[in-house]
Amino acid sequence: MVRDMLRNLRRVRLVEVQLLITVLLLFAAGYMMVFATGQRRLEADVGSLQSLFSVLWPSSLPLLLYLVVSAGLSYRNPNADQILLPLVAVLSGLGLLFTARVAPTLDKDIYGDVAAKQSAFVTIGVILLVLMVFVDWDRWIFIRLFRTGMMEWLKNHRWTWMLLGVGLMVLTFIIGVDPNNSGVKVWFRLPGGFLFQPAELLKIILVVFLASYLIEHREVVNHGYRLGRITLPPLPYLVPMGGIWALCMALIVKQSDLGAALLLFGIFIAMLYVATGNGWYVGASFGAFAIGSYVMYQYIGKVQERVAIWLDPWSDAARLGYQIVQSQYALSAGGVTGSGLGLGAPYYVPAVHTDFAYTGIAEELGLMGTIGILIVYVLMIYRGYHIALSIPGRFRGFEQLLAVGLTTILAVQALIIIGGNLRVIPLTGITLPFISYGGSSVVMNFVIVGLLLRISTTTQKQT
């Protein structure tokens, strides 16, 4: 019995547990700081247990679930990556804290209780992560019904998944809704008042499709055809892949969802380069991107508007440029160390809990806080690519490319929205992974991490 206890103790993922406990203590202190500054007006006495529970509630359940996940990983999948889950806990915890911070300043008739909703989104995301990691899908579902494993099933049914993704995007033209009155109908209204954005699912489907297609045709796509001394690009193999990507891009651009279009472009370039190692494809793709951007600027009014406001938001500071101008003031007010948690005024920035979460955090935590966020994202991206590199054997190329593509989603998405907040690039309507308020994005990001953790359980090298 003692021997069994010692064996189980050795399986405990101590690094992960220590990091998660640190994250829990950090955000418990953060919530109490916000409460102490008086930004959340509660009728209950400060010292009462009820008031403290009211403050800690928005993040208590989902953050505690991380410890449950860690315990399950110690028992079922001790070889899974130990750093990825604490990094997700930091970002999602910060998102919960910031959403609860600005929730009292938002119109509940328009947004509802965003703190409770974000808590529900994160909880649902963690539950899906648990299902992705712990359920033996191969044994109970795929081998019994399809005579193949989960990863092989994903690989072999790429066209089915792609048809589903494109079909959902087409369906938004018919039954899509525009809850924000932005002129973009890219959501489905679900029972209970929740919204679902198909583009969030489409980015994962596109990664699965590209990973499957590229691994099957990798050699041809990489080397092309030889005609004498001239190497011709393998057009018969590039056209189907490029055509599917172009169709997805066209549907998204038609819906004026420019952020999602830029995200899909980044995913396509990254996966094509990783699969082939051919810099020519990257150069050609950026050339096509430059031409496409110029054409869109000439013929799409929304693109012209966003570029103009990006270059000079003060020319229309009271109307179109108001959001960007206020975000610039917030960044300036934050300085190096920030105004203090709960002491700033990020609510002056419209949609600060979605498009400008990074700016709102910068006002209260300053340059040091935002650099810390960037470091967390860099570490997460590093761990994702490390998982891809750690996959042993030459016959698991699909899983390698899948891990690369999933990690690239998080990397490119964070880069685009942070660049937009800092006015490095024009602002696009996508969310900051795990931090910004938004159900579809938060839930799909947890699916991405669940897939990465599942892939990491089968790697032999762990650092």
Side-chain angles (χ1 to χ4, degrees):
M1 182 175 178
V2 175
R3 184 179 302 174
D4 292 339
M5 291 178 61
L6 292 174
R7 184 184 302 113
N8 292 331
L9 184 62
R10 284 196 296 268
R11 292 166 63 95
V12 175
R13 298 152 58 87
L14 291 178
V15 173
E16 185 177 74
V17 171
Q18 291 171 356
L19 291 174
L20 287 174
I21 291 175
T22 303
V23 171
L24 283 171
L25 294 175
L26 175 66
F27 285 111
Y31 268 86
M32 287 187 284
M33 284 178 63
V34 171
F35 176 69
T37 58
Q39 294 299 316
R40 294 188 54 135
R41 303 298 182 184
L42 299 175
E43 295 180 358
D45 183 71
V46 173
S48 70
L49 293 176
Q50 182 181 359
S51 65
L52 288 178
F53 178 79
S54 299
V55 173
L56 294 172
W57 147 244
S59 66
S60 58
L61 176 60
L63 289 180
L64 288 173
L65 281 176
Y66 287 120
L67 290 175
V68 177
V69 174
S70 178
L73 287 171
S74 296
Y75 178 72
R76 290 287 303 275
N77 307 104
N79 291 328
D81 190 276
Q82 293 199 51
I83 308 298
L84 193 58
L85 191 64
L87 294 174
V88 173
V90 170
L91 295 175
S92 60
L94 184 58
L96 288 165
L97 175 60
F98 180 70
T99 304
R101 159 73 182 89
V102 299
T105 67
L106 300 175
D107 189 342
K108 285 195 174 184
D109 293 333
I110 299 176
Y111 298 105
D113 189 348
V114 295
K117 285 184 177 180
Q118 185 76 346
S119 179
F121 297 149
V122 174
T123 303
I124 293 171
V126 175
I127 292 172
L128 289 177
L129 183 149
V130 168
L131 293 176
M132 293 297 301
V133 175
F134 295 124
V135 175
D136 193 349
W137 296 102
D138 291 348
R139 178 182 177 185
W140 297 109
I141 302 293
F142 291 98
I143 292 179
R144 286 188 177 186
L145 297 180
F146 306 106
R147 301 295 187 267
T148 186
M150 176 181 172
M151 290 299 169
E152 283 296 316
W153 184 81
L154 288 174
K155 176 183 175 182
N156 295 333
H157 291 80
R158 59 174 178 264
W159 292 106
T160 303
W161 281 104
M162 202 67 247
L163 183 62
L164 173 64
V166 172
L168 288 174
M169 291 302 301
V170 172
L171 203 57
T172 58
F173 290 93
I174 303 173
I175 61 173
V177 298
D178 177 19
N180 302 321
N181 297 318
S182 60
V184 181
K185 296 182 178 181
V186 294
W187 288 271
F188 293 145
R189 191 175 296 280
L190 302 178
F194 291 101
L195 299 170
F196 173 70
Q197 190 174 5
E200 295 293 337
L201 178 60
L202 181 63
K203 63 189 182 185
I204 299 179
I205 291 176
L206 183 65
V207 166
V208 173
F209 174 84
L210 290 175
S212 174
Y213 191 91
L214 286 169
I215 204 63
E216 183 176 333
H217 304 291
R218 175 184 246 167
E219 293 300 322
V220 179
V221 173
N222 189 24
H223 297 100
Y225 297 107
R226 296 289 298 181
L227 183 61
R229 295 185 178 182
I230 303 175
T231 301
L232 299 177
L235 293 180
Y237 295 93
L238 288 177
V239 168
M241 177 180 61
I244 288 295
W245 170 74
L247 177 60
C248 296
M249 292 282 285
L251 290 172
I252 290 175
V253 169
K254 180 66 176 177
Q255 287 281 37
S256 298
D257 193 355
L258 304 178
L262 187 57
L263 175 60
L264 294 188
F265 173 79
I267 295 169
F268 181 79
I269 293 299
M271 295 190 68
L272 186 60
Y273 178 73
V274 170
T276 65
N278 194 333
W280 184 90
Y281 289 135
V282 177
S285 298
F286 274 108
F289 173 76
I291 295 172
S293 299
Y294 177 78
V295 172
M296 290 173 61
Y297 178 78
Q298 294 297 320
Y299 294 100
I300 300 178
K302 193 173 185 67
V303 175
Q304 296 175 0
E305 178 183 295
R306 290 200 175 185
V307 171
I309 293 303
W310 167 55
L311 294 175
D312 186 12
W314 284 271
S315 62
D316 194 4
R319 194 169 62 92
L320 296 177
Y322 181 78
Q323 189 181 36
I324 296 180
V325 168
Q326 290 299 321
S327 73
Q328 297 296 294
Y329 288 146
L331 287 170
S332 177
V336 176
T337 58
S339 59
L341 192 59
L343 296 175
Y347 40 81
Y348 283 116
V349 183
V352 68
H353 61 303
T354 55
D355 294 346
F356 282 93
Y358 189 79
T359 296
I361 294 172
E363 179 175 354
E364 299 200 339
L365 299 184
L367 178 64
M368 295 176 63
T370 54
I371 289 177
I373 294 173
L374 290 176
I375 291 173
V376 174
Y377 277 119
V378 169
L379 290 174
M380 177 182 289
I381 294 162
Y382 166 76
R383 296 309 297 183
Y385 289 138
H386 176 266
I387 289 171
L389 291 173
S390 299
I391 296 175
R394 56 176 299 185
F395 299 106
R396 298 180 60 194
F398 171 73
E399 293 177 57
Q400 286 185 323
L401 276 180
L402 183 62
V404 168
L406 294 173
T407 305
T408 302
I409 291 176
L410 301 176
V412 175
Q413 188 167 331
L415 182 65
I416 291 173
I417 190 59
I418 291 175
N421 275 214
L422 299 178
R423 282 188 65 214
V424 176
I425 60 175
L427 182 68
T428 57
I430 62 175
T431 57
L432 188 60
F434 297 104
I435 294 180
S436 293
Y437 171 81
S440 302
S441 176
V442 169
V443 171
M444 288 300 107
N445 287 336
F446 275 100
V447 171
I448 289 172
V449 174
L451 284 169
L452 287 174
L453 284 174
R454 186 178 183 89
I455 294 171
S456 75
T457 60
T458 58
T459 60
Q460 294 178 353
K461 297 187 298 180
Q462 297 292 331
T463 61

